[in-house]
Amino acid sequence: MRLSLSFLPRSTRVAMLGVLVLVLVFAAALAWWLHAGYKSTRMQAATQAHNTARLLETRVLATLREVDLLLADVARESERLPMDPPLDWAEPLGFEAIMALRDRLARQPSIVSLSILDGRGRIAYSSAAAPGQDFSDQPHLQGLLRRGEDALVVSPPYLLRTTGQKGVAFARPVRDQHGRLRAIVMAGVQVDAWGKAFEDLNVGERGALAIYDNALRVVARQPLPSQSLIGSNFSREGWVPTGLLAGTYFVRSSVDGEARLLAERAISAYPFQVGAGLAEADYLAGWHASIGIAIAALLFISLLGATLLAQLWRAGKQARVLADSQARLAAREQWLRSILEASPSALGLAELDSGRLRYANPDLAALLGVPLATLNDLPVSELFMDPEDWPRLRRAVREAGTLRELEFALRRPDGSNCWGALSATLLSGNGERDDEVLLSLTDVTARHARELRLEEEAGTDPLTGLANRRRFFERGGEAYELAQRHARPMSLLMLDIDHFKQINDSYGHPVGDQVLVRLARLLETSRRQGDLPARLGGEEFAILLPETPLPQALEAAERIREAVENAPLTLDDSRMVPYTVSIGVAEMQSHDQDLPLLLIAADAALYRAKDEGRNRVVAETRVAEGSE
């Protein structure tokens, strides 16, 4: 019997397929994770083995160079020693040579014996062997004794005759001025000394370190199951390159059967090699634990997937029952939307708790100047120029239930604002959803613009466009109170056009008006942000300078005076109308109660400027309260 899913809704079938795909994707991801972890673990192991081998190479190379340099030093010293010393060690020359050799050994702990042989391979001087002992039968000395070789000679691991312990012998020839072999200097380094190079090198519990010569004879190894392993040969058969780093191989040890990742390094200029091997059982232990985690995770996700599939199956069966009721609800919702969209008012529906707009009709989008789609799920606070308007509105509608014709500044995408008269009605939830509020907006931007224009005209001088006396005292009073509250400096300039009546009498009132306008433009262009220039009446002007102490105010007044003096009005018939201003300057005092007191002080300074000859700046002469 074939299982059919056709009776389930398409969304349920898609969801069930999605669950199956997710399980498969998760399984693939786990496989990739394990594979990537395996590759990463192998690379880390190869890097660790490579670095350990390099460190071991450095240590062994340092020991070899110490031995080589010591042999070179002893070779030079041997040139002054006779090669047929007497057997009596009490003889001064022989005793001195032996003591010198032993002293050098004390400074070179890795070397266990140091000897000087004559040209026939017999002991002349030694730290460990008796004079006359014949070493000519040693295979590693044959090249020096019979074939005339001059290079450093290194023996394979063998029982050192001088100490009776396994080690490696190093020999260097000493020739006379005719090129004949005069002596051979020889040093022995036993296996234990080689093993010191392994100290503090970590290759894990089952790892191994080894030093061997170019003939693959073991010189030292850690761990060392048996002393018989020293000097034995091993083969590179079965070594498989890892493909990770150069000189790294997969090796199964012939000594203990352990599978290892081995890094091998050749020691330059000397016939030795070193190897550092990490056991797979060590470096893959964490990865093997990851396999268990991956299997557990796969079982869990499979069980979870089966549970989800069962739930989807049940949900799909129930979905058919719910489909008809959802269709009816959708039809009713569409009917309600049609009513709202046909409404001539700008309407929106918002959730009170989340503060998001759940519905907006086209008229609301048109009022705000945005596409209708952008209003869906938009935070209502973003509709207001002041973000705090929405919290205040929300509290008010919760308390009152209904609000009528409250005016707010609304935000438009182009940065401009509009004004709307907003009515709000609380729609209580039915227990399945949050309370909602129905918003109705009427555009009152034009009315606000007219009111603002009338207010602006009421506070503006019609001739000069500057603030008039009323606007000056309104805004100036606010700035004055702020400066008093925060103990900030403030100054006031009072300006009066000198002999303005003569200008009117000589050129006519239209020219006098042009002078007033020209002075107003000059004050506008020279003011800083925050300064308040105004025409108080006739030819009298004032400039309020917040954050300005008296010295800076005097400098500003002098700049204005000079600018007026140097810029006479030019009439259409090219006649020049020169004019000047007198300026009185006053600084706010701590005992001043309001702006009119500061205005009186500046006006008094202005009259002094006129009395002293006009076209000048005069500062107030008030003394601060409490001073002498």
Side-chain angles (χ1 to χ4, degrees), residues 203-208 221 223 238-239 249-262 277-284 288:
V203 287
E205 183 179 350
R206 298 178 181 85
R221 188 181 188 277
W239 288 25
Y249 306 88
F250 286 120
V251 179
R252 185 165 295 278
S253 173
S254 58
V255 177
D256 51 22
E258 193 76 53
R260 294 188 176 92
L261 190 152
L262 176 71
L278 302 181
E280 281 190 348
D282 289 339
Y283 70 80
L284 288 181
H288 289 147

Side-chain angles (χ1 to χ4, degrees), residues 20-196:
L20 290 173
V21 170
L22 282 176
V23 172
L24 292 176
V25 169
F26 186 78
L30 283 177
W32 176 86
W33 176 64
L34 288 173
H35 177 69
Y38 178 71
K39 290 177 61 178
S40 175
T41 301
R42 289 173 56 213
M43 178 57 75
Q44 290 174 5
T47 303
Q48 181 183 351
H50 179 75
N51 292 339
T52 304
R54 288 187 61 182
L55 181 56
L56 182 57
E57 173 198 6
T58 302
R59 292 182 179 183
V60 173
L61 181 60
T63 299
L64 294 174
R65 285 176 175 167
E66 285 181 3
V67 175
D68 201 2
L69 292 173
L70 178 60
L71 288 179
D73 291 343
V74 175
R76 285 193 296 272
E77 294 179 7
S78 68
E79 294 176 357
R80 64 181 181 82
L81 298 175
M83 290 298 103
D84 53 350
L87 297 179
D88 181 8
W89 292 114
E91 195 274 331
L93 182 60
F95 180 78
E96 178 185 346
I98 294 302
M99 290 300 103
L101 293 180
R102 290 176 178 171
D103 180 59
R104 283 186 171 276
L105 287 181
R107 298 196 300 270
Q108 302 286 348
S110 61
I111 303 173
V112 295
S113 66
L114 190 60
S115 304
I116 302 176
L117 285 64
D118 62 17
R120 289 174 293 177
R122 296 177 302 178
I123 293 290
Y125 306 95
S126 177
S127 64
Q133 190 173 352
D134 192 356
F135 277 72
S136 62
D137 60 339
Q138 295 295 313
H140 61 279
L141 298 180
Q142 297 304 308
L144 301 179
L145 293 170
R146 292 179 174 78
R147 295 193 293 274
E149 295 177 358
D150 284 331
L152 174 71
V153 174
V154 182
S155 76
Y158 75 111
L159 282 175
L160 298 175
R161 190 176 298 178
T162 54
T163 63
Q165 297 175 327
K166 281 193 175 183
V168 177
F170 296 78
R172 179 185 289 278
V174 180
R175 301 190 180 278
D176 60 17
Q177 60 184 351
H178 302 294
R180 293 189 294 271
L181 181 66
R182 182 175 186 275
I184 297 174
V185 293
M186 188 169 65
V189 181
Q190 69 183 44
V191 170
D192 292 344
W194 289 89
K196 292 181 179 178

Side-chain angles (χ1 to χ4, degrees), residues 46 308 451:
L308 287 175
E451 292 173 356

Side-chain angles (χ1 to χ4, degrees), residues 279-336:
E280 281 190 348
D282 289 339
Y283 70 80
L284 288 181
W287 181 77
H288 289 147
S290 299
I291 295 178
I293 295 174
I295 292 174
L298 184 57
L299 290 175
F300 173 77
I301 199 67
S302 300
L303 180 61
L304 181 61
T307 304
L308 287 175
L309 287 174
Q311 291 178 348
L312 287 171
W313 177 275
R314 289 193 297 269
K317 293 173 67 176
Q318 295 170 357
R320 179 174 293 275
V321 177
L322 295 175
D324 293 340
S325 61
Q326 288 176 344
R328 289 193 296 270
L329 289 174
R332 184 169 182 79
E333 183 179 352
Q334 183 59 41
W335 177 67
L336 291 174

Side-chain angles (χ1 to χ4, degrees), residues 254-275:
S254 58
V255 177
D256 51 22
E258 193 76 53
R260 294 188 176 92
L261 190 152
L262 176 71
E264 186 181 43
R265 301 276 301 181
I267 300 178
S268 59
Y270 296 98
F272 290 97
Q273 301 179 63
V274 298

